[in-house]
Amino acid sequence: MSLRLRGLLPRLLLLRRRCSPLRRRGRLRGWPPPLVSAIPSRAFGSSSLSARACALSGLSGMAAGSPPQQRCVVEVREGVELTEKEERIFRRLLDVVHHFGLGTQLRVAGGWVRDKLLGKDSTDIDIALDNMTGQNFCEKVNEYSELLGEEQKGIGVIQCNPDQSKHLETARMLIFDIWIDFVNLRSEKYAENSRIPTVEIGTAKEDAFRRDLTINSLFFNINTNSVEDLTGRGIEHLKKGLIVTPLPAKATFLDDPLRVLRAIRFAARFNFTLTEDLKDAASDEKVKSELGSKISKERIGHEVDLMMSDKHPVNAMCYIRDLGLFYVVFAFPEKLDSPVPDKCDRLCVSHIEVAWNLAHSIGCSVFSGGSDSKSQDEHRRLCLYSALFTPVRNIVYLDKKSKKIPVANYIIRDSLKLKASDADTVVNVHAASEKFAELIDLLESNENLTTVKEKLDDEYLEIPTDSVKRVLAGLILREIKDFWRVALFISTLTYPEVSSGSDSLSQPDELHQRKEKYTRAERSITELELDGVWKMKPLLDGKAIMGIMQVKGGPLIGKWQQRLLKWQLAYPKGTTDECIEWMKQSQSKRQKV
């Protein structure tokens, strides 16, 4: 390209932008965003933790154990209102189409359109192309960027995998600091006796009918700056708060069984209603079998994790239970050391339901172990997993080496394929919560001090009676670290045990008693100055202990390190010299004996 033409191009682009349909038409105003939830819509969300009132109002609808079926009419905007960043992105894409004469219709598909019509912000922009693949279009975007003297961006390509119901190749690239997915419109044709379709570039209408839900089948046509409802029912179902598939539900779910969980997730998120034919299809044995065998554990775990991190996780778990999907989603290992409790699915959901109500009652302190909103959200998420799997916390299975492993560990790591650290945290929370049960009684009375003191004492160390509570609590907190409030919460939730029906715990009096139990224990631990005790460094390291005890290592050093920890907890203001003197005196007394 000549220097003269290169200099002229930016001016031509500026003229085109001034005349683009996005600029010409202006933006359409919509109605206020909907209020569709019986529960505060940002309950436990990171942006509302500090300001949210810790009241029980709005929670009574959760007590029955199933998602409510009557919904308010949802207020939907008449059109899409673009942000400045979105306008800039869409102009750039149109410039690429016009410059190369591609003739491509650019459509934003699915969730972004839905959320925009509901008055919600969204950065999840998926572009559907009508005449080329996503990778080819991304290459044109980079070619155009080069003409403007801009840096080219990397293109990520996610290949299709029909065996896992991933039928489309997706290309992804960064445009003006926003990740955009590009995929071609599709049509599907099924051969006889085959569940894997032949996927070809199709029309927008064909693509809309192949999507999971009508509310997700809407398009925003960038070329015409308009919303397209090609199923004819997407906006209607959005206004009525209905979860419906564009094609018959059973066929839709058999095409991609993960859509069952997506339907549940969106029903829970927006407090929408699953239609009866959709629920019948989701409960179909063939659909459940295909969900368990055809869909990867990673994709199932990702959907479940989105539910747990969303606004109404209890609604989602109730749907999973009521549709008979619990043991498909949360698959148990084969070689169990003890039988699974009767109606375990109902028991698990009862626990997370009570936990949700109790946490609402207590307030933000349950998740305040983290210093930032991301940490608080993580505490909330793992607290809910801990509550859900509390009924199986004492059940183990035998792995390939005949080692006993907690069932909760298997479900999180193998059935959901979540992070190993998530499984470890939940197992540690369960273990610590049982220790907290003893601690709660100890903090509220002095009846068990003598018994506990005998357990903590040994031949070298006698704990002062007035330090017994601090030492025991400190040992527990050092094991669970900043998740100690979650462990204490689970202990409060399960001590005494939650009944399978959970009706008694849904009563305000019972809920209030457990809230008070948690609050008193949390206050006692804070007053003992133990919040952050896991950061306490030992006064002496292993080498120093070997020098004082005049030994060359071995298991004795580990025992003295544990004694040293107890001594520091009992004497929080003790100095290194005082600690050394105690060790020498203890050793001397032992030698005399």
PDB file of all heavy atoms in Angstrom, residues 34 36 67-69 71-74 76 114 118 215 234 237-244 263-264 266-275 312 315 319:
ATOM      1  N   PRO A  34     -35.711  -5.831  35.522  1.00  0.00           N
ATOM      2  CA  PRO A  34     -36.768  -6.558  36.228  1.00  0.00           C
ATOM      3  C   PRO A  34     -36.423  -6.868  37.669  1.00  0.00           C
ATOM      4  O   PRO A  34     -35.264  -6.981  38.030  1.00  0.00           O
ATOM      5  CB  PRO A  34     -36.878  -7.861  35.423  1.00  0.00           C
ATOM      6  CG  PRO A  34     -35.498  -8.060  34.893  1.00  0.00           C
ATOM      7  CD  PRO A  34     -34.986  -6.691  34.591  1.00  0.00           C
ATOM      8  N   VAL A  36     -37.419  -9.924  39.766  1.00  0.00           N
ATOM      9  CA  VAL A  36     -38.142 -11.182  39.598  1.00  0.00           C
ATOM     10  C   VAL A  36     -37.873 -12.158  40.724  1.00  0.00           C
ATOM     11  O   VAL A  36     -38.382 -13.254  40.708  1.00  0.00           O
ATOM     12  CB  VAL A  36     -37.744 -11.854  38.264  1.00  0.00           C
ATOM     13  CG1 VAL A  36     -38.137 -10.977  37.103  1.00  0.00           C
ATOM     14  CG2 VAL A  36     -36.240 -12.136  38.214  1.00  0.00           C
ATOM     15  N   PRO A  67     -38.166 -24.760  44.196  1.00  0.00           N
ATOM     16  CA  PRO A  67     -38.255 -23.426  43.615  1.00  0.00           C
ATOM     17  C   PRO A  67     -39.701 -23.001  43.438  1.00  0.00           C
ATOM     18  O   PRO A  67     -40.537 -23.814  43.021  1.00  0.00           O
ATOM     19  CB  PRO A  67     -37.564 -23.586  42.253  1.00  0.00           C
ATOM     20  CG  PRO A  67     -36.721 -24.815  42.385  1.00  0.00           C
ATOM     21  CD  PRO A  67     -37.454 -25.700  43.332  1.00  0.00           C
ATOM     22  N   PRO A  68     -40.044 -21.765  43.788  1.00  0.00           N
ATOM     23  CA  PRO A  68     -41.422 -21.290  43.603  1.00  0.00           C
ATOM     24  C   PRO A  68     -41.802 -21.303  42.134  1.00  0.00           C
ATOM     25  O   PRO A  68     -40.992 -21.032  41.270  1.00  0.00           O
ATOM     26  CB  PRO A  68     -41.387 -19.866  44.165  1.00  0.00           C
ATOM     27  CG  PRO A  68     -39.947 -19.467  44.109  1.00  0.00           C
ATOM     28  CD  PRO A  68     -39.158 -20.715  44.315  1.00  0.00           C
ATOM     29  N   GLN A  69     -43.065 -21.613  41.842  1.00  0.00           N
ATOM     30  CA  GLN A  69     -43.503 -21.788  40.469  1.00  0.00           C
ATOM     31  C   GLN A  69     -44.251 -20.584  39.901  1.00  0.00           C
ATOM     32  O   GLN A  69     -44.470 -20.516  38.713  1.00  0.00           O
ATOM     33  CB  GLN A  69     -44.396 -23.035  40.367  1.00  0.00           C
ATOM     34  CG  GLN A  69     -43.628 -24.322  40.616  1.00  0.00           C
ATOM     35  CD  GLN A  69     -42.467 -24.497  39.660  1.00  0.00           C
ATOM     36  OE1 GLN A  69     -42.642 -24.465  38.444  1.00  0.00           O
ATOM     37  NE2 GLN A  69     -41.277 -24.668  40.193  1.00  0.00           N
ATOM     38  N   ARG A  71     -44.333 -16.662  39.007  1.00  0.00           N
ATOM     39  CA  ARG A  71     -43.376 -15.590  38.784  1.00  0.00           C
ATOM     40  C   ARG A  71     -44.087 -14.285  38.416  1.00  0.00           C
ATOM     41  O   ARG A  71     -45.176 -14.299  37.859  1.00  0.00           O
ATOM     42  CB  ARG A  71     -42.422 -15.949  37.630  1.00  0.00           C
ATOM     43  CG  ARG A  71     -41.652 -17.236  37.845  1.00  0.00           C
ATOM     44  CD  ARG A  71     -40.572 -17.036  38.906  1.00  0.00           C
ATOM     45  NE  ARG A  71     -39.700 -18.200  38.986  1.00  0.00           N
ATOM     46  CZ  ARG A  71     -39.885 -19.206  39.814  1.00  0.00           C
ATOM     47  NH1 ARG A  71     -40.908 -19.187  40.615  1.00  0.00           N
ATOM     48  NH2 ARG A  71     -39.034 -20.220  39.848  1.00  0.00           N
ATOM     49  N   CYS A  72     -43.431 -13.190  38.713  1.00  0.00           N
ATOM     50  CA  CYS A  72     -43.926 -11.896  38.251  1.00  0.00           C
ATOM     51  C   CYS A  72     -43.640 -11.762  36.760  1.00  0.00           C
ATOM     52  O   CYS A  72     -42.744 -12.388  36.223  1.00  0.00           O
ATOM     53  CB  CYS A  72     -43.228 -10.767  39.016  1.00  0.00           C
ATOM     54  SG  CYS A  72     -43.462 -10.830  40.805  1.00  0.00           S
ATOM     55  N   VAL A  73     -44.418 -10.914  36.112  1.00  0.00           N
ATOM     56  CA  VAL A  73     -44.151 -10.628  34.710  1.00  0.00           C
ATOM     57  C   VAL A  73     -42.855  -9.818  34.642  1.00  0.00           C
ATOM     58  O   VAL A  73     -42.667  -8.858  35.376  1.00  0.00           O
ATOM     59  CB  VAL A  73     -45.318  -9.840  34.080  1.00  0.00           C
ATOM     60  CG1 VAL A  73     -44.971  -9.441  32.653  1.00  0.00           C
ATOM     61  CG2 VAL A  73     -46.586 -10.688  34.104  1.00  0.00           C
ATOM     62  N   VAL A  74     -41.962 -10.222  33.750  1.00  0.00           N
ATOM     63  CA  VAL A  74     -40.648  -9.591  33.661  1.00  0.00           C
ATOM     64  C   VAL A  74     -40.727  -8.392  32.731  1.00  0.00           C
ATOM     65  O   VAL A  74     -41.320  -8.465  31.654  1.00  0.00           O
ATOM     66  CB  VAL A  74     -39.604 -10.601  33.134  1.00  0.00           C
ATOM     67  CG1 VAL A  74     -38.223  -9.953  33.073  1.00  0.00           C
ATOM     68  CG2 VAL A  74     -39.579 -11.837  34.027  1.00  0.00           C
ATOM     69  N   VAL A  76     -39.154  -6.095  30.085  1.00  0.00           N
ATOM     70  CA  VAL A  76     -38.129  -6.268  29.054  1.00  0.00           C
ATOM     71  C   VAL A  76     -38.005  -4.974  28.258  1.00  0.00           C
ATOM     72  O   VAL A  76     -39.007  -4.357  27.884  1.00  0.00           O
ATOM     73  CB  VAL A  76     -38.502  -7.445  28.118  1.00  0.00           C
ATOM     74  CG1 VAL A  76     -37.473  -7.589  27.001  1.00  0.00           C
ATOM     75  CG2 VAL A  76     -38.614  -8.737  28.915  1.00  0.00           C
ATOM     76  N   ARG A 114     -30.071 -11.330  25.484  1.00  0.00           N
ATOM     77  CA  ARG A 114     -31.020 -11.551  26.584  1.00  0.00           C
ATOM     78  C   ARG A 114     -30.756 -10.594  27.737  1.00  0.00           C
ATOM     79  O   ARG A 114     -31.671  -9.935  28.253  1.00  0.00           O
ATOM     80  CB  ARG A 114     -30.886 -13.003  27.053  1.00  0.00           C
ATOM     81  CG  ARG A 114     -31.760 -13.385  28.246  1.00  0.00           C
ATOM     82  CD  ARG A 114     -31.181 -14.607  28.941  1.00  0.00           C
ATOM     83  NE  ARG A 114     -29.874 -14.329  29.521  1.00  0.00           N
ATOM     84  CZ  ARG A 114     -28.800 -15.102  29.388  1.00  0.00           C
ATOM     85  NH1 ARG A 114     -28.861 -16.212  28.667  1.00  0.00           N
ATOM     86  NH2 ARG A 114     -27.658 -14.778  29.978  1.00  0.00           N
ATOM     87  N   LEU A 118     -32.909  -7.319  29.352  1.00  0.00           N
ATOM     88  CA  LEU A 118     -33.298  -7.295  30.761  1.00  0.00           C
ATOM     89  C   LEU A 118     -32.664  -6.126  31.507  1.00  0.00           C
ATOM     90  O   LEU A 118     -32.819  -5.988  32.713  1.00  0.00           O
ATOM     91  CB  LEU A 118     -32.902  -8.611  31.439  1.00  0.00           C
ATOM     92  CG  LEU A 118     -33.681  -9.854  31.008  1.00  0.00           C
ATOM     93  CD1 LEU A 118     -33.113 -11.105  31.666  1.00  0.00           C
ATOM     94  CD2 LEU A 118     -35.167  -9.718  31.342  1.00  0.00           C
ATOM     95  N   ILE A 215     -35.112 -18.022  25.050  1.00  0.00           N
ATOM     96  CA  ILE A 215     -34.603 -16.741  25.545  1.00  0.00           C
ATOM     97  C   ILE A 215     -33.136 -16.551  25.180  1.00  0.00           C
ATOM     98  O   ILE A 215     -32.612 -15.431  25.268  1.00  0.00           O
ATOM     99  CB  ILE A 215     -34.788 -16.605  27.074  1.00  0.00           C
ATOM    100  CG1 ILE A 215     -33.977 -17.669  27.825  1.00  0.00           C
ATOM    101  CG2 ILE A 215     -36.253 -16.652  27.440  1.00  0.00           C
ATOM    102  CD1 ILE A 215     -33.943 -17.439  29.331  1.00  0.00           C
ATOM    103  N   GLY A 234     -39.025 -15.883  21.666  1.00  0.00           N
ATOM    104  CA  GLY A 234     -37.980 -15.541  22.620  1.00  0.00           C
ATOM    105  C   GLY A 234     -38.345 -14.384  23.528  1.00  0.00           C
ATOM    106  O   GLY A 234     -38.232 -14.479  24.759  1.00  0.00           O
ATOM    107  N   HIS A 237     -41.341 -15.296  25.872  1.00  0.00           N
ATOM    108  CA  HIS A 237     -40.950 -16.132  27.010  1.00  0.00           C
ATOM    109  C   HIS A 237     -40.092 -15.352  28.002  1.00  0.00           C
ATOM    110  O   HIS A 237     -40.144 -15.612  29.214  1.00  0.00           O
ATOM    111  CB  HIS A 237     -40.203 -17.367  26.514  1.00  0.00           C
ATOM    112  CG  HIS A 237     -41.076 -18.310  25.752  1.00  0.00           C
ATOM    113  ND1 HIS A 237     -40.589 -19.263  24.876  1.00  0.00           N
ATOM    114  CD2 HIS A 237     -42.432 -18.445  25.717  1.00  0.00           C
ATOM    115  CE1 HIS A 237     -41.589 -19.945  24.356  1.00  0.00           C
ATOM    116  NE2 HIS A 237     -42.717 -19.459  24.848  1.00  0.00           N
ATOM    117  N   LEU A 238     -39.332 -14.389  27.508  1.00  0.00           N
ATOM    118  CA  LEU A 238     -38.546 -13.551  28.401  1.00  0.00           C
ATOM    119  C   LEU A 238     -39.469 -12.712  29.278  1.00  0.00           C
ATOM    120  O   LEU A 238     -39.250 -12.582  30.493  1.00  0.00           O
ATOM    121  CB  LEU A 238     -37.630 -12.649  27.564  1.00  0.00           C
ATOM    122  CG  LEU A 238     -36.412 -12.017  28.258  1.00  0.00           C
ATOM    123  CD1 LEU A 238     -35.493 -13.078  28.837  1.00  0.00           C
ATOM    124  CD2 LEU A 238     -35.657 -11.134  27.279  1.00  0.00           C
ATOM    125  N   LYS A 239     -40.512 -12.158  28.680  1.00  0.00           N
ATOM    126  CA  LYS A 239     -41.461 -11.340  29.437  1.00  0.00           C
ATOM    127  C   LYS A 239     -42.265 -12.181  30.433  1.00  0.00           C
ATOM    128  O   LYS A 239     -42.568 -11.716  31.530  1.00  0.00           O
ATOM    129  CB  LYS A 239     -42.419 -10.629  28.481  1.00  0.00           C
ATOM    130  CG  LYS A 239     -41.761  -9.537  27.647  1.00  0.00           C
ATOM    131  CD  LYS A 239     -42.769  -8.877  26.712  1.00  0.00           C
ATOM    132  CE  LYS A 239     -42.129  -7.739  25.915  1.00  0.00           C
ATOM    133  NZ  LYS A 239     -43.093  -7.097  24.989  1.00  0.00           N
ATOM    134  N   LYS A 240     -42.582 -13.414  30.052  1.00  0.00           N
ATOM    135  CA  LYS A 240     -43.384 -14.278  30.929  1.00  0.00           C
ATOM    136  C   LYS A 240     -42.529 -15.055  31.932  1.00  0.00           C
ATOM    137  O   LYS A 240     -43.072 -15.720  32.815  1.00  0.00           O
ATOM    138  CB  LYS A 240     -44.201 -15.265  30.086  1.00  0.00           C
ATOM    139  CG  LYS A 240     -45.294 -14.604  29.265  1.00  0.00           C
ATOM    140  CD  LYS A 240     -46.096 -15.647  28.482  1.00  0.00           C
ATOM    141  CE  LYS A 240     -47.234 -15.005  27.707  1.00  0.00           C
ATOM    142  NZ  LYS A 240     -48.011 -16.007  26.930  1.00  0.00           N
ATOM    143  N   GLY A 241     -41.216 -14.981  31.793  1.00  0.00           N
ATOM    144  CA  GLY A 241     -40.343 -15.699  32.709  1.00  0.00           C
ATOM    145  C   GLY A 241     -40.416 -17.206  32.531  1.00  0.00           C
ATOM    146  O   GLY A 241     -40.489 -17.947  33.519  1.00  0.00           O
ATOM    147  N   LEU A 242     -40.388 -17.679  31.277  1.00  0.00           N
ATOM    148  CA  LEU A 242     -40.517 -19.105  30.986  1.00  0.00           C
ATOM    149  C   LEU A 242     -39.215 -19.653  30.393  1.00  0.00           C
ATOM    150  O   LEU A 242     -38.570 -18.999  29.578  1.00  0.00           O
ATOM    151  CB  LEU A 242     -41.659 -19.354  30.010  1.00  0.00           C
ATOM    152  CG  LEU A 242     -43.066 -19.014  30.487  1.00  0.00           C
ATOM    153  CD1 LEU A 242     -44.081 -19.229  29.355  1.00  0.00           C
ATOM    154  CD2 LEU A 242     -43.445 -19.853  31.708  1.00  0.00           C
ATOM    155  N   ILE A 243     -38.852 -20.849  30.797  1.00  0.00           N
ATOM    156  CA  ILE A 243     -37.712 -21.569  30.228  1.00  0.00           C
ATOM    157  C   ILE A 243     -38.264 -22.617  29.279  1.00  0.00           C
ATOM    158  O   ILE A 243     -38.882 -23.603  29.693  1.00  0.00           O
ATOM    159  CB  ILE A 243     -36.860 -22.220  31.326  1.00  0.00           C
ATOM    160  CG1 ILE A 243     -36.312 -21.154  32.273  1.00  0.00           C
ATOM    161  CG2 ILE A 243     -35.727 -23.035  30.728  1.00  0.00           C
ATOM    162  CD1 ILE A 243     -35.359 -20.174  31.624  1.00  0.00           C
ATOM    163  N   VAL A 244     -38.044 -22.399  27.964  1.00  0.00           N
ATOM    164  CA  VAL A 244     -38.618 -23.250  26.915  1.00  0.00           C
ATOM    165  C   VAL A 244     -37.534 -23.506  25.866  1.00  0.00           C
ATOM    166  O   VAL A 244     -36.701 -22.638  25.590  1.00  0.00           O
ATOM    167  CB  VAL A 244     -39.833 -22.564  26.236  1.00  0.00           C
ATOM    168  CG1 VAL A 244     -40.531 -23.518  25.270  1.00  0.00           C
ATOM    169  CG2 VAL A 244     -40.815 -22.038  27.280  1.00  0.00           C
ATOM    170  N   ALA A 263     -30.622 -25.177  31.258  1.00  0.00           N
ATOM    171  CA  ALA A 263     -32.002 -24.762  31.512  1.00  0.00           C
ATOM    172  C   ALA A 263     -32.224 -24.532  33.007  1.00  0.00           C
ATOM    173  O   ALA A 263     -32.847 -23.541  33.410  1.00  0.00           O
ATOM    174  CB  ALA A 263     -32.964 -25.834  30.984  1.00  0.00           C
ATOM    175  N   ILE A 264     -31.689 -25.439  33.820  1.00  0.00           N
ATOM    176  CA  ILE A 264     -31.806 -25.300  35.275  1.00  0.00           C
ATOM    177  C   ILE A 264     -31.087 -24.042  35.749  1.00  0.00           C
ATOM    178  O   ILE A 264     -31.603 -23.282  36.580  1.00  0.00           O
ATOM    179  CB  ILE A 264     -31.243 -26.548  35.978  1.00  0.00           C
ATOM    180  CG1 ILE A 264     -32.167 -27.746  35.738  1.00  0.00           C
ATOM    181  CG2 ILE A 264     -31.055 -26.301  37.473  1.00  0.00           C
ATOM    182  CD1 ILE A 264     -31.600 -29.062  36.232  1.00  0.00           C
ATOM    183  N   PHE A 266     -30.384 -21.221  34.157  1.00  0.00           N
ATOM    184  CA  PHE A 266     -31.057 -19.973  33.809  1.00  0.00           C
ATOM    185  C   PHE A 266     -32.382 -19.831  34.550  1.00  0.00           C
ATOM    186  O   PHE A 266     -32.790 -18.719  34.907  1.00  0.00           O
ATOM    187  CB  PHE A 266     -31.254 -19.877  32.301  1.00  0.00           C
ATOM    188  CG  PHE A 266     -29.978 -19.635  31.552  1.00  0.00           C
ATOM    189  CD1 PHE A 266     -29.513 -20.552  30.621  1.00  0.00           C
ATOM    190  CD2 PHE A 266     -29.224 -18.503  31.789  1.00  0.00           C
ATOM    191  CE1 PHE A 266     -28.332 -20.346  29.941  1.00  0.00           C
ATOM    192  CE2 PHE A 266     -28.033 -18.273  31.116  1.00  0.00           C
ATOM    193  CZ  PHE A 266     -27.588 -19.202  30.188  1.00  0.00           C
ATOM    194  N   ALA A 267     -33.065 -20.938  34.789  1.00  0.00           N
ATOM    195  CA  ALA A 267     -34.299 -20.875  35.579  1.00  0.00           C
ATOM    196  C   ALA A 267     -34.003 -20.375  36.986  1.00  0.00           C
ATOM    197  O   ALA A 267     -34.735 -19.539  37.538  1.00  0.00           O
ATOM    198  CB  ALA A 267     -34.959 -22.255  35.631  1.00  0.00           C
ATOM    199  N   ALA A 268     -32.903 -20.878  37.576  1.00  0.00           N
ATOM    200  CA  ALA A 268     -32.533 -20.447  38.924  1.00  0.00           C
ATOM    201  C   ALA A 268     -32.039 -19.005  38.926  1.00  0.00           C
ATOM    202  O   ALA A 268     -32.409 -18.211  39.791  1.00  0.00           O
ATOM    203  CB  ALA A 268     -31.456 -21.377  39.491  1.00  0.00           C
ATOM    204  N   ARG A 269     -31.215 -18.638  37.951  1.00  0.00           N
ATOM    205  CA  ARG A 269     -30.628 -17.296  37.926  1.00  0.00           C
ATOM    206  C   ARG A 269     -31.703 -16.218  37.842  1.00  0.00           C
ATOM    207  O   ARG A 269     -31.674 -15.237  38.581  1.00  0.00           O
ATOM    208  CB  ARG A 269     -29.685 -17.142  36.738  1.00  0.00           C
ATOM    209  CG  ARG A 269     -29.188 -15.707  36.554  1.00  0.00           C
ATOM    210  CD  ARG A 269     -28.372 -15.534  35.310  1.00  0.00           C
ATOM    211  NE  ARG A 269     -27.114 -16.273  35.375  1.00  0.00           N
ATOM    212  CZ  ARG A 269     -26.210 -16.262  34.398  1.00  0.00           C
ATOM    213  NH1 ARG A 269     -26.443 -15.577  33.284  1.00  0.00           N
ATOM    214  NH2 ARG A 269     -25.099 -16.938  34.521  1.00  0.00           N
ATOM    215  N   PHE A 270     -32.666 -16.402  36.933  1.00  0.00           N
ATOM    216  CA  PHE A 270     -33.680 -15.366  36.711  1.00  0.00           C
ATOM    217  C   PHE A 270     -34.977 -15.634  37.460  1.00  0.00           C
ATOM    218  O   PHE A 270     -35.924 -14.856  37.363  1.00  0.00           O
ATOM    219  CB  PHE A 270     -33.975 -15.246  35.211  1.00  0.00           C
ATOM    220  CG  PHE A 270     -32.784 -14.842  34.387  1.00  0.00           C
ATOM    221  CD1 PHE A 270     -32.265 -15.683  33.422  1.00  0.00           C
ATOM    222  CD2 PHE A 270     -32.169 -13.621  34.590  1.00  0.00           C
ATOM    223  CE1 PHE A 270     -31.163 -15.319  32.661  1.00  0.00           C
ATOM    224  CE2 PHE A 270     -31.070 -13.238  33.841  1.00  0.00           C
ATOM    225  CZ  PHE A 270     -30.561 -14.092  32.879  1.00  0.00           C
ATOM    226  N   ASN A 271     -35.006 -16.745  38.225  1.00  0.00           N
ATOM    227  CA  ASN A 271     -36.236 -17.122  38.925  1.00  0.00           C
ATOM    228  C   ASN A 271     -37.371 -17.372  37.932  1.00  0.00           C
ATOM    229  O   ASN A 271     -38.532 -17.033  38.177  1.00  0.00           O
ATOM    230  CB  ASN A 271     -36.638 -16.054  39.930  1.00  0.00           C
ATOM    231  CG  ASN A 271     -37.095 -16.639  41.253  1.00  0.00           C
ATOM    232  OD1 ASN A 271     -36.752 -17.764  41.601  1.00  0.00           O
ATOM    233  ND2 ASN A 271     -37.869 -15.883  41.998  1.00  0.00           N
ATOM    234  N   PHE A 272     -37.022 -17.951  36.783  1.00  0.00           N
ATOM    235  CA  PHE A 272     -37.993 -18.289  35.760  1.00  0.00           C
ATOM    236  C   PHE A 272     -38.562 -19.691  35.998  1.00  0.00           C
ATOM    237  O   PHE A 272     -38.059 -20.455  36.814  1.00  0.00           O
ATOM    238  CB  PHE A 272     -37.348 -18.240  34.366  1.00  0.00           C
ATOM    239  CG  PHE A 272     -37.140 -16.835  33.833  1.00  0.00           C
ATOM    240  CD1 PHE A 272     -37.397 -15.718  34.606  1.00  0.00           C
ATOM    241  CD2 PHE A 272     -36.674 -16.645  32.540  1.00  0.00           C
ATOM    242  CE1 PHE A 272     -37.203 -14.432  34.116  1.00  0.00           C
ATOM    243  CE2 PHE A 272     -36.471 -15.362  32.031  1.00  0.00           C
ATOM    244  CZ  PHE A 272     -36.732 -14.253  32.827  1.00  0.00           C
ATOM    245  N   THR A 273     -39.594 -20.027  35.249  1.00  0.00           N
ATOM    246  CA  THR A 273     -40.289 -21.303  35.411  1.00  0.00           C
ATOM    247  C   THR A 273     -39.917 -22.275  34.299  1.00  0.00           C
ATOM    248  O   THR A 273     -39.953 -21.920  33.115  1.00  0.00           O
ATOM    249  CB  THR A 273     -41.816 -21.085  35.383  1.00  0.00           C
ATOM    250  OG1 THR A 273     -42.175 -20.183  36.424  1.00  0.00           O
ATOM    251  CG2 THR A 273     -42.562 -22.399  35.567  1.00  0.00           C
ATOM    252  N   LEU A 274     -39.570 -23.501  34.683  1.00  0.00           N
ATOM    253  CA  LEU A 274     -39.393 -24.581  33.713  1.00  0.00           C
ATOM    254  C   LEU A 274     -40.770 -25.080  33.308  1.00  0.00           C
ATOM    255  O   LEU A 274     -41.592 -25.415  34.166  1.00  0.00           O
ATOM    256  CB  LEU A 274     -38.604 -25.742  34.322  1.00  0.00           C
ATOM    257  CG  LEU A 274     -37.165 -25.472  34.767  1.00  0.00           C
ATOM    258  CD1 LEU A 274     -36.585 -26.714  35.446  1.00  0.00           C
ATOM    259  CD2 LEU A 274     -36.294 -25.074  33.589  1.00  0.00           C
ATOM    260  N   THR A 275     -41.050 -25.142  32.027  1.00  0.00           N
ATOM    261  CA  THR A 275     -42.348 -25.636  31.575  1.00  0.00           C
ATOM    262  C   THR A 275     -42.460 -27.132  31.844  1.00  0.00           C
ATOM    263  O   THR A 275     -41.456 -27.835  31.994  1.00  0.00           O
ATOM    264  CB  THR A 275     -42.543 -25.370  30.075  1.00  0.00           C
ATOM    265  OG1 THR A 275     -41.479 -25.996  29.344  1.00  0.00           O
ATOM    266  CG2 THR A 275     -42.559 -23.876  29.799  1.00  0.00           C
ATOM    267  N   HIS A 312     -28.962 -17.637  42.979  1.00  0.00           N
ATOM    268  CA  HIS A 312     -29.920 -18.510  43.661  1.00  0.00           C
ATOM    269  C   HIS A 312     -29.495 -19.976  43.555  1.00  0.00           C
ATOM    270  O   HIS A 312     -30.155 -20.782  42.894  1.00  0.00           O
ATOM    271  CB  HIS A 312     -31.316 -18.326  43.074  1.00  0.00           C
ATOM    272  CG  HIS A 312     -31.782 -16.901  43.037  1.00  0.00           C
ATOM    273  ND1 HIS A 312     -31.854 -16.116  44.167  1.00  0.00           N
ATOM    274  CD2 HIS A 312     -32.162 -16.105  42.008  1.00  0.00           C
ATOM    275  CE1 HIS A 312     -32.273 -14.911  43.839  1.00  0.00           C
ATOM    276  NE2 HIS A 312     -32.455 -14.873  42.534  1.00  0.00           N
ATOM    277  N   ASN A 315     -32.178 -22.758  44.547  1.00  0.00           N
ATOM    278  CA  ASN A 315     -33.173 -23.074  43.515  1.00  0.00           C
ATOM    279  C   ASN A 315     -32.624 -24.086  42.522  1.00  0.00           C
ATOM    280  O   ASN A 315     -33.310 -25.033  42.118  1.00  0.00           O
ATOM    281  CB  ASN A 315     -33.568 -21.799  42.765  1.00  0.00           C
ATOM    282  CG  ASN A 315     -34.596 -20.974  43.522  1.00  0.00           C
ATOM    283  OD1 ASN A 315     -34.915 -21.266  44.672  1.00  0.00           O
ATOM    284  ND2 ASN A 315     -35.091 -19.928  42.902  1.00  0.00           N
ATOM    285  N   TYR A 319     -33.978 -27.978  41.767  1.00  0.00           N
ATOM    286  CA  TYR A 319     -34.346 -28.490  40.444  1.00  0.00           C
ATOM    287  C   TYR A 319     -33.590 -29.780  40.134  1.00  0.00           C
ATOM    288  O   TYR A 319     -34.164 -30.749  39.625  1.00  0.00           O
ATOM    289  CB  TYR A 319     -34.039 -27.446  39.368  1.00  0.00           C
ATOM    290  CG  TYR A 319     -35.121 -26.410  39.172  1.00  0.00           C
ATOM    291  CD1 TYR A 319     -34.812 -25.054  39.162  1.00  0.00           C
ATOM    292  CD2 TYR A 319     -36.448 -26.778  38.968  1.00  0.00           C
ATOM    293  CE1 TYR A 319     -35.799 -24.096  38.974  1.00  0.00           C
ATOM    294  CE2 TYR A 319     -37.434 -25.835  38.770  1.00  0.00           C
ATOM    295  CZ  TYR A 319     -37.108 -24.485  38.779  1.00  0.00           C
ATOM    296  OH  TYR A 319     -38.089 -23.544  38.590  1.00  0.00           O
TER     297      TYR A 319
END
